[in-house]
Amino acid sequence: MGSTALIVGGGYAGVMAANRLAAAQRPGLAVQLVNPRRRFVERIRLHEYAAGSREDPTAAFESLLHPAVRLVHGSAKRINDGDRTVLLADGRTMPWDYLVYAVGSGHSTVPAGALAVDRLSDAAAARRELAALAPGAGVAVVGGGLTAVETAAETARAFPQLRVALYSAGPIAPRFGEQGRRALEQRLRRAGVQLHTGSPVPPDGDVRRHLGAGVVLWCAGFAAPPLAAVSGLPVNGEGRLRVDPTLQVPGHGRIYGAGDAAVIDRPEYAYLRMCCAAAMPMGAGAAGNILRALDGAAGARHDSGFRGVCVSLGRSDGVVQFVAADDSPARLHLSGRTAAVQKEIICRMTLRWIRGEAKRSGAYTWPTGPKMQPSAPAVQAQTQG
Ligand SMILES: Cc1cc2nc3c(=O)[nH]c(=O)nc-3n(C[C@H](O)[C@H](O)[C@H](O)COP(=O)(O)OP(=O)(O)OC[C@H]3O[C@@H](n4cnc5c(N)ncnc54)[C@H](O)[C@@H]3O)c2cc1C
């Protein structure tokens, strides 16, 4: 008898999972992908789109997916593990035998008057509003992470006639090394960005008036959708689906989680932050474990890590912070045009990796994670707990 693998969410993790499953060409395995939009959103390009330096941050799913993947246009409203179905917002029901939960993190709460760059609709509004501002008008970017840094620099470079200010509660790029952070700060200032670190912005009230800005771009963190929680699946305090090291949901053995919406619920995986560089390996890993389950084999422990963090600062400047597998900063960083080129190559590679996986299941490989010592305190705490 055949079985169906249903991927919920067509972002980096979901598309990678769908391709790994479909390209494996298992007899009797149908692969379906449900996503609210008809085109793939290159979320890592949304700041470029908002600032007007990129025309279209989307790609046709047909150009990315293995032809055997059935794309369903819709939004999952509830996942039922009891009868293995997903209820869509339009009332349709989709049956599944294996499910990959990959709904991303585009659900941040944004105060009235601000626009969230991590959402396509808000990025499109930001693009229109920025282009309509009079010379000398203020733009406030709120947040201290890399999305805020990239957005501020991209905007300042694209609109030198505007006053762009970045407000962050703490230091910018908190995970960077000291030297890498100094390079970022210098280059942001050189791009014309006024830096206000140690300046938390209250998420209520009239933020435009409070910051004296014609446009406020809110980049204060990603948030997972509530789908797992409303479906009665285990979630952490941020609403992310809790999975074990094989990316399976404990107690719900046919459900796997990948990407920003899922968290491996072990301290030794705490280094895996919400990012594309973690989402794609998780998507591939979840699919690989579904294929193993079909063979009656045990799931493999997830193993992915980092090598560098690439930050674009407009189209011709950037900083690359080299990191250890656990994302801790190394002393080395690159900056300038070489770093910008490196970042652009990585952005293009994400789509090439996805397309490569559509041609051959298992084609995509990624850096391994830190060696996990059984005696390391984090692991001990877990195994003792
Ligand atoms: C401006 C910007 C720049 C970034 N730059 C980088 C970078 O340089 N490097 C990096 O590693 N990361 C970067 N990131 C982070 C990266 O984009 C995310 O970590 C990545 O998109 C996560 O992939 P994902 O597949 O988990 O989720 P997403 O890419 O968010 O995809 C989730 C998909 O699920 C769909 N979905 C949501 N709810 C439902 C539902 N109920 N039913 C069905 N489908 C649903 C969504 O519509 C979406 O298509 C950046 C993010 C932003 C905003």
Side-chain angles (χ1 to χ4, degrees), residues 8-14 34-36 43-44 46-47 74-76 102-106 117-118 147 150 222 225 227 258-261 274-277 279 310 343:
V8 184
Y12 297 93
V34 60
N35 193 67
R43 218 169 147 218
I44 62 174
L46 286 181
H47 61 297
S75 183
V103 291
S105 61
V117 174
D118 69 337
T147 305
E150 290 195 322
F222 300 155
L227 178 62
D260 288 0
M274 284 183 177
C275 64
C276 181
C310 302
K343 172 69 192 253

